[in-house]
């Protein structure tokens, strides 16, 4: 099996993003519990983190995505790589929240588990959305320059209209549009596309500005963090 060389700056970027995700979720959990609602520091930190941390994750995921090989085989591999963990961890998370229902902010019912193919449970949406976005990229395949720009533009349009659709009620189900997995895809596909189609160019530009690159990715603390 071919051994892929790890890209150090990617590991560092993912490490920083993971830390920010933890900080963001802690802040959101306090908010859901009704604690520290008037805390300027907590609110500012939460808004700051959520303003870019998922976009960063999607950009990195797109940058690492490689569209190669047989489409059917690639889609099958994606379904297994993402689908199995999505189903497994959705079940585990549902089980934990059901057993500890008296201690959680948001209770789950049996139907929440049944409807995971449409309405992801909690943070599991990321796995599901990433799976769908990679499948779309495989189906679309390699694009010429014109089609690539059209594709990215359409992705931006989806991002722009998603906020206006997020609160639309889904009949009398108690769900709104933002609960659907398609809503998560719409709000993140643009950043994924930027990573796929322009990731190498963006990183090349950053690397040319050596002072910025060295300050962010070449600093000793981050390099040590990766080695932990």
């Amino acid at each position: 099996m071919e051994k892929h060389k790890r890209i150090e700056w990617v590991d560092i970027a993912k490490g920083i993003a993971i830390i920010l995700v933890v900080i963001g979720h802690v802040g959101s959990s306090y908010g859901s519990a009704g604690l520290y609602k008037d805390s300027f520091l907590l609110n500012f930190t939460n808004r700051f983190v959520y303003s870019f941390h998922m976009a960063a994750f999607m950009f990195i995921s797109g940058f690492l995505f490689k569209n190669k090989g047989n489409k059917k085989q690639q889609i099958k591999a994606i379904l297994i790589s993402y689908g199995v963990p999505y189903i497994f961890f959705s079940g585990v998370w549902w089980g934990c929240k059901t057993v500890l229902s008296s201690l959680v902010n948001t209770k789950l019912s049996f139907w929440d588990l049944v409807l995971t193919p449409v309405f992801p449970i909690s943070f599991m949406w990321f796995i599901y959305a990433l799976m769908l976005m990679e499948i779309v990229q495989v189906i679309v395949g390699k694009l010429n320059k014109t089609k690539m720009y059209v594709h990215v533009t359409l992705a931006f349009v989806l991002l722009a209209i998603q906020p206006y659709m997020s609160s639309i009620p889904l009949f009398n189900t108690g769900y709104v549009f933002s609960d659907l997995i398609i809503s998560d895809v719409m709000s993140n596909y643009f950043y994924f596309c930027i990573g796929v189609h322009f990731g190498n160019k963006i990183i090349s530009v950053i690397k040319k500005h050596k002072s910025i690159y060295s300050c962010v990715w070449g600093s000793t603390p981050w390099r040590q963090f990766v080695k932990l």
Side-chain angles (χ1 to χ4, degrees):
M1 180 181 286
E2 181 184 355
K3 187 177 181 179
H4 297 283
K5 184 179 179 181
R6 299 192 68 86
I7 305 174
E8 190 177 61
W9 74 262
V10 171
D11 288 337
I12 295 172
K14 288 192 292 185
I16 295 171
I18 289 170
I19 293 173
L20 292 176
V21 167
V22 173
I23 293 173
H25 277 277
V26 169
S28 296
S29 296
Y30 276 125
S32 299
L35 301 173
Y36 306 114
K37 283 188 175 182
D38 297 326
S39 172
F40 171 79
L41 180 60
L42 182 64
N43 291 328
F44 174 80
T45 301
N46 208 37
R47 289 174 183 173
F48 174 73
V49 168
Y50 273 90
S51 69
F52 70 90
H53 78 298
M54 287 315 306
F57 260 125
M58 292 300 176
F59 172 82
I60 294 170
S61 298
F63 173 77
L64 296 175
F65 174 77
K66 303 298 178 186
N67 198 347
K68 58 183 179 180
N70 180 276
K71 287 189 176 183
K72 288 184 178 180
Q73 291 179 351
Q74 198 170 358
I75 290 175
K76 181 180 178 181
I78 292 171
L79 287 171
I80 293 173
S81 298
Y82 292 102
V84 173
Y86 173 72
I87 295 171
F88 175 76
F89 286 110
S90 292
V92 170
W93 188 247
W94 177 86
C96 290
K97 296 201 76 171
T98 299
V99 172
L100 303 172
S101 59
S102 61
L103 304 174
V104 300
N105 294 326
T106 307
K107 293 179 173 59
L108 297 176
S109 68
F110 176 72
W111 283 108
D112 290 311
L113 182 63
V114 173
L115 295 174
T116 50
V118 183
F119 304 106
I121 295 176
S122 189
F123 56 84
M124 251 61 71
W125 71 265
F126 178 77
I127 302 175
Y128 198 173
L130 194 56
M131 179 183 74
L132 295 178
M133 289 188 284
E134 289 198 3
I135 289 175
V136 170
Q137 283 295 320
V138 172
I139 294 173
V140 170
K142 294 183 178 180
L143 304 172
N144 60 38
K145 190 173 182 179
T146 301
K147 290 182 178 179
M148 178 187 70
Y149 280 109
V150 171
H151 187 75
V152 174
T153 301
L154 289 175
F156 179 76
V157 171
L158 293 176
L159 171 66
I161 65 175
Q162 188 274 340
Y164 299 99
M165 301 175 65
S166 60
S167 59
I168 296 176
L170 300 175
F171 305 104
N172 295 318
T173 61
Y175 290 99
V176 293
F177 183 80
S178 61
D179 294 319
L180 292 169
I181 185 60
I182 186 62
S183 176
D184 296 314
V185 173
M186 289 174 65
S187 60
N188 290 281
Y189 189 56
F190 173 72
Y191 306 113
F192 183 78
C193 283
I194 293 296
V196 171
H197 299 294
F198 303 104
N200 285 319
K201 292 182 180 179
I202 292 172
I203 298 305
S204 295
V205 171
I206 293 175
K207 285 185 175 181
K208 285 181 180 179
H209 294 78
K210 294 183 178 180
S211 58
I212 298 176
Y213 182 77
S214 298
C215 177
V216 179
W217 308 125
S219 61
T220 301
W222 297 127
R223 295 173 71 90
Q224 292 300 320
F225 174 77
V226 172
K227 294 177 183 178
L228 292 177

